[in-house]
Amino acid sequence: PYEASKQLINMMIEELYIMSKFENWTKTGVTGSENPSPLDDPAHAHFKEFQHENHLHWIFLATRSGITAYWQLYNLANEEHMRQFGDANPNSIESSYYERTINATYMYGADHIDGDHHIYSLFYGISNVPVSNTLGNGGTTTTTTTKSQMYLVITTAIWMNKTSQRPQKKISSGSGNVPFGVFGVVLPYKTVRSRHFSNLCAKMDTGICYIIDENGYIMFISQPEGTDRTEDIGKFIGEFEGPLMQDLVAKKIFSE
């Protein structure tokens, strides 16, 4: 137990050190005062472009020791929603987004490590909004109501150096690599849904195009003009398209 605790503490110290360098890089392109030269200018420029185009609210880095660090990138981002996301995912390796992102590598093969693959999740931030009510005598009262905001969470796995000399446990026949953690970005869903999803449905002239996750939950709906089905995002597709879901089960794309 002592050795295990010592290893965990050393791992956490190393991860916190890496997180501090990562935070500096996202802001300035420089990892720290000891390395004053910009690190990978094209990558930093691409990150800043992505941040601007997608109204990036915040980013996070979740590591294998259980630590998660958050960085707010948009001044008007709702800090309470960030706290709610952290409260819902207190231990990184027990979070559903972490498990889904790491498992995707072993499901789809080792090339997932080097490819441009991402896992999409939805998160709902809840706000208490004051509402003024006018009374019959002309006075007013104030009550509160809840309002939700939907976010798109995009995560990708970060893997330990494959040339490392440390012994690595071979988790599956497809890969002997060990995950360092999961990197994620959090975007306002309504702002970015067309940019991230609509091109996948662009070739359809008629009908409804659904984009669903690996568990059958709706991430995007390409709907006819004038139809708003935002409330159906995040729901199980079997609620709306029962025969289609039965067909997917019959084809072994999903299991019953």
Side-chain angles (χ1 to χ4, degrees):
Y2 171 77
E3 285 299 321
S5 297
K6 187 169 70 172
Q7 289 176 12
L8 178 60
I9 290 173
N10 289 335
M11 184 191 304
M12 295 171 70
I13 292 173
E14 181 182 26
E15 290 172 354
L16 289 170
Y17 176 78
I18 293 173
M19 285 176 171
S20 69
K21 302 301 178 188
F22 179 75
E23 180 179 16
N24 290 335
W25 183 85
T26 60
K27 293 178 179 178
T28 64
V30 175
T31 57
S33 57
E34 71 279 12
N35 296 306
S37 300
L39 178 65
D40 199 344
D41 274 340
H44 187 257
H46 180 69
F47 172 75
K48 286 300 181 182
E49 181 182 0
F50 180 88
Q51 176 183 346
H52 176 72
E53 290 181 351
N54 292 275
H55 305 276
L56 186 54
H57 278 215
W58 64 83
I59 60 178
F60 61 90
L61 184 60
T63 64
R64 59 193 177 130
S65 68
I67 300 175
T68 306
Y70 300 90
W71 295 279
Q72 181 176 330
L73 299 183
Y74 179 51
N75 292 335
L76 299 180
N78 192 311
E79 294 185 17
E80 174 62 18
H81 291 176
M82 187 190 305
R83 185 191 65 78
Q84 292 172 9
F85 183 82
D87 289 346
N89 302 282
N91 188 334
S92 62
I93 59 175
E94 295 179 355
S95 301
S96 62
Y97 71 79
Y98 191 100
E99 181 180 1
R100 290 175 63 221
T101 305
I102 298 300
N103 284 350
T105 298
Y106 306 118
M107 183 180 299
Y108 300 118
D111 60 333
H112 195 281
I113 293 176
D114 300 314
D116 186 22
H117 299 276
H118 304 89
I119 300 298
Y120 289 81
S121 308
L122 296 175
F123 168 70
Y124 296 85
I126 305 299
S127 301
N128 291 319
V129 181
V131 177
S132 297
N133 303 299
T134 304
L135 302 177
N137 58 8
T140 59
T141 61
T142 302
T143 59
T144 59
T145 184
T146 59
K147 182 180 179 181
S148 67
Q149 180 176 352
M150 185 161 44
Y151 294 94
L152 182 65
V153 182
I154 309 174
T155 51
T156 188
I158 301 174
W159 297 88
M160 303 291 279
N161 189 343
K162 290 188 289 183
T163 62
S164 172
Q165 298 303 310
R166 298 179 186 178
Q168 296 182 350
K169 180 180 178 182
K170 194 165 186 177
I171 303 176
S172 76
S173 59
S175 170
N177 298 281
V178 176
F180 169 80
V182 168
F183 170 69
V185 300
V186 182
L187 315 166
Y189 181 87
K190 288 186 177 180
T191 304
V192 301
R193 58 185 175 184
S194 295
R195 180 185 302 274
H196 286 270
F197 294 123
S198 61
N199 62 317
L200 297 175
C201 296
K203 294 182 179 181
M204 288 190 58
D205 296 326
T206 59
I208 302 174
C209 175
Y210 292 96
I211 296 178
I212 58 178
D213 68 8
E214 77 275 25
N215 298 310
Y217 289 89
I218 300 171
M219 301 296 295
F220 178 79
I221 306 175
S222 176
Q223 49 219 3
E225 290 295 331
T227 304
D228 185 5
R229 294 188 58 185
T230 305
E231 294 297 321
D232 295 335
I233 302 298
K235 295 181 180 179
F236 184 58
I237 191 172
E239 295 183 33
F240 310 99
E241 306 288 350
L244 172 62
M245 189 43 135
Q246 291 175 355
D247 185 54
L248 294 174
V249 171
K251 293 177 179 176
K252 301 189 182 302
I253 295 174
F254 287 97
S255 62
E256 190 170 348

